[in-house]
Amino acid sequence: ESEDMTAKERLLFWSKQITDGYVGVRCDNFTTSWRDGRLFNAIIHKYRPDLVDISRVSTQTNRSNLEQAFTVAEQLGVARLLDPEDVDVQSPDEKSVITYVSTLYDAFPKVPDGVDGISPNVSYWY
């Protein structure tokens, strides 16, 4: 991780790292990448696979995915800062999405079970 990475860049990097390998999940920004709810569900699934049936996420509507993610996150103590209709729009509000993703980041241990040696504070450049 570069010293001059902003908090926003670090959070996006963490989101990409955590969701790497999830089919149909792309994390390119804090707006349209989050619209279908798949990213939110993938992050929760990475830490709590018992709470998200990831196989259903690809077949559900954007709003269903978003509602599921926000409801499950709320059960884990994450404040519900967004509603599905806030995110399932042409261009979701970037600051709102960043704020919510940062609460997810704070809610989970930094290294999920089964992910060896990956820390959001360390960058791996190849």
Side-chain angles (χ1 to χ4, degrees), residues 67-117:
E67 181 59 39
Q68 172 179 290
F70 299 156
T71 299
V72 171
E74 206 171 15
Q75 293 166 2
L76 297 172
V78 176
R80 189 181 183 109
L81 304 175
L82 297 172
D83 288 312
E85 54 272 16
D86 298 329
V87 183
D88 187 21
V89 293
Q90 193 66 38
S91 185
D93 181 66
E94 184 182 54
K95 284 186 174 65
S96 298
V97 173
I98 289 170
T99 300
Y100 187 76
V101 173
S102 69
T103 63
L104 287 176
Y105 175 85
D106 291 340
F108 292 117
K110 297 309 169 231
V111 180
D113 292 338
V115 178
D116 295 326

Side-chain angles (χ1 to χ4, degrees), residues 15-35:
S15 301
K16 287 179 182 180
Q17 250 188 347
I18 289 302
T19 59
D20 186 44
Y22 281 88
V23 177
V25 174
R26 290 200 50 202
C27 184
D28 299 323
N29 55 50
F30 281 113
T31 55
T32 54
S33 290
W34 301 83
R35 183 177 171 192

